[in-house]
Every structure is written in structure tokens, then in C-alpha cells.
Amino acid sequence: MKTPINALLEASLLRDAAEPFQLSFQDAASPVMEEILFLHNQIMFILIIIITTVLWLIIRGLTGQAYHRYLIEGVTIEIVWTIIPAVILVFIAFPSLKLLYLMDEIVEPGVTVKAIGHQWYWSYEYSDYQTTLGEDSTLEFDSYMIPTSDLQPGDLRLLEVDNRMVVPIDTYVRVLVTGADVLHSFAVPSLAIKMDAVPGRLNQTGFLAKRPGLFYGQCSELCGANHSFMPIVIEAVSMDKYISWLSSLCADL
């Protein structure tokens, strides 16, 4: 497991946690998030070209420079500024559809974790494993935010928890999300996860962590007075460390 100092260093270098006044995305840690960043960059490139062209036309108009008459009226210009936006929309639509289908793709999971939102903390159940308590028992634990007064040097304020959701890297993880009381939302930007936790309903999402690290998220649905104090921390580790973590957790039960 990572020490607090190493966690802070990695979070600051790889941007796996929220930052003050942040405008850009967090770094991708899953294939889906990489596709989201690619689509974002592609659309931004198209927008820069459009904004530059329109701004140039506006400046020419404001400075009083003469236009060719075919640039302000006529059938030709009407056809041009109808076709060009249609082509631009095609270049945006096809990657968007590809990403939507990629996000809905069903993959056979290697690990299944059930995340339950409470007022105001998360609990996790690893239903794939049985504990020493009996066949009907499952591996489960609560995850509370660490108060500011208890933070260690290097910990991230309002983002650290006492028990992290640990998963293996290079393994598809299925997350079953539900709420125990009111609406919550399970969101981890670096892994492209955002799923509503609805009481009485079991929603499903999944991810594949491509690298080890600590990935921070928060509840993204207004759920009450302490909505901003129920963070999510997913720790992706190697398979050996994951098995060791499971063994130590089972031994403590």
C-alpha cells in the first residue's frame, strides 16, 4: 500500500485528484477515459478553427474592409455554410457514437464490487468472496472520510477515507451501485465512472484500471447536509498486492 507522501506525490504528478480552480480533466487511468480525452481534444481543435474563422470575419467587418459580394449573399455562400457545419457535425458525431457504444459494452468482470451510498459515507461489498464467518457472509466494510483534524502529512483534505476500495489493475471491475436512503452518485473522474445510486435499484457500471494509483472521487448527487463529506478512493494495485489485501482483510474479520 502507498504511504501518504507517495500518494500525494503521485496525485500531484498524475492529476488523479481534484485540484483548486481546476479547468481540465484529470489524467486518464482507464481506456474509456482515454477515449473521452481524445474526443474532448478533437472537439476543442475543431472549435479553435471555427472561433478563429468567425473572429477573423467579425474583425474584417468591424474595420470596414470591403467584402466580395459572394461572401455576404448568394446561393453559393448559402450552400457552403450549410455543408460545412454538416461536415463538422459528422466529424463530431461519429467519435461520440463510438464512445457511447464503448461505454455500454458489456465485459465479463474479473471482480465485482457493490457500492452502497449512505448518509453520509460509502460501504463496499466484495460478493465474489466468502469470509470465515460462513457461506452466507460476504466481505464488506464501510468507508468514512477522515476528518481534517486526523489527517497525516501528505493526505488530501476532504478526499481521504479510512478504508479504500482496492481493485487489481488490468482486470475489468464491475461496480453495482445502489443507495441505502436517498439518491447518491458514485463518481471517479480518472476512471470515467459516474453512476447514480438509487434506493431500491441496482445500477451497473465498470472500469479497467491500466496503472496502479489512488483515484479520488466524490458523491455527485446532492444528498443532504454532508453531501460534500463522503469521498470515494479507489486504490488500484497489482494482483499480488490485491490478494494480500484480501487475505489481511479476511483475517481481520
Side-chain angles (χ1 to χ4, degrees):
M1 301 298 175
K2 292 179 173 59
T3 63
I5 297 297
N6 290 337
L8 176 63
L9 180 61
E10 184 170 286
S12 61
L13 294 178
L14 294 175
R15 297 171 62 88
D16 291 333
E19 299 178 357
F21 307 103
Q22 181 175 345
L23 295 177
S24 60
F25 285 100
Q26 296 181 16
D27 288 338
S30 69
V32 174
M33 190 60 192
E34 289 178 349
E35 292 292 330
I36 292 176
L37 289 176
F38 176 78
L39 177 63
H40 170 266
N41 295 337
Q42 178 179 347
I43 294 177
M44 287 298 296
F45 177 74
I46 295 174
L47 286 178
I48 290 172
I49 295 176
I50 294 174
I51 292 172
T52 303
T53 304
V54 173
L55 184 62
W56 176 76
L57 292 172
I58 292 174
I59 292 175
R60 282 182 61 89
L62 293 176
T63 55
Q65 298 185 27
Y67 280 105
H68 194 282
R69 66 186 184 92
Y70 290 117
L71 289 179
I72 56 176
E73 61 179 348
V75 177
T76 303
I77 190 61
E78 292 286 348
I79 295 175
V80 169
W81 68 38
T82 301
I83 293 178
I84 290 179
V87 173
I88 292 173
L89 290 176
V90 168
F91 276 97
I92 295 176
F94 278 101
S96 300
L97 292 174
K98 172 189 173 184
L99 180 58
L100 286 174
Y101 281 108
L102 178 64
M103 295 175 70
D104 288 338
E105 184 178 0
I106 299 176
V107 180
E108 184 67 26
V111 176
T112 299
V113 183
K114 185 177 181 182
I116 306 171
H118 304 262
Q119 288 183 313
W120 287 271
Y121 64 96
W122 292 95
S123 62
Y124 302 105
E125 296 180 4
Y126 288 73
S127 304
D128 296 332
Y129 315 106
Q130 296 177 355
T131 67
T132 56
L133 299 178
E135 294 183 357
D136 296 332
S137 62
T138 58
L139 191 61
E140 56 184 338
F141 55 87
D142 298 330
S143 179
Y144 290 90
M145 186 193 76
I146 298 178
T148 303
S149 58
D150 296 335
L151 291 176
Q152 300 297 320
D155 285 346
L156 301 178
R157 179 177 173 270
L158 302 183
L159 290 177
E160 298 292 347
V161 296
D162 54 359
N163 293 307
R164 301 165 181 164
M165 173 180 163
V166 181
V167 298
I169 62 172
D170 298 326
T171 301
Y172 189 82
V173 179
R174 175 174 59 185
V175 184
L176 303 178
V177 184
T178 188
D181 33 48
V182 299
L183 286 175
H184 300 277
S185 184
F186 189 83
V188 183
S190 292
L191 298 170
I193 302 174
K194 189 176 188 297
M195 181 58 66
D196 288 340
V198 183
R201 178 180 298 178
L202 206 59
N203 291 330
Q204 176 177 308
T205 185
F207 65 91
L208 186 148
K210 298 185 63 177
R211 57 181 172 83
L214 291 177
F215 309 112
Y216 294 85
Q218 292 174 297
C219 176
S220 297
E221 184 73 41
L222 292 175
C223 58
N226 292 331
H227 155 71
S228 55
F229 304 113
M230 49 181 300
I232 303 161
V233 182
I234 296 180
E235 182 173 3
V237 298
S238 64
M239 183 59 72
D240 291 339
K241 290 184 178 180
Y242 175 71
I243 294 174
S244 299
W245 174 80
L246 283 177
S247 301
S248 61
L249 191 62
C250 291
D252 293 338
L253 295 179

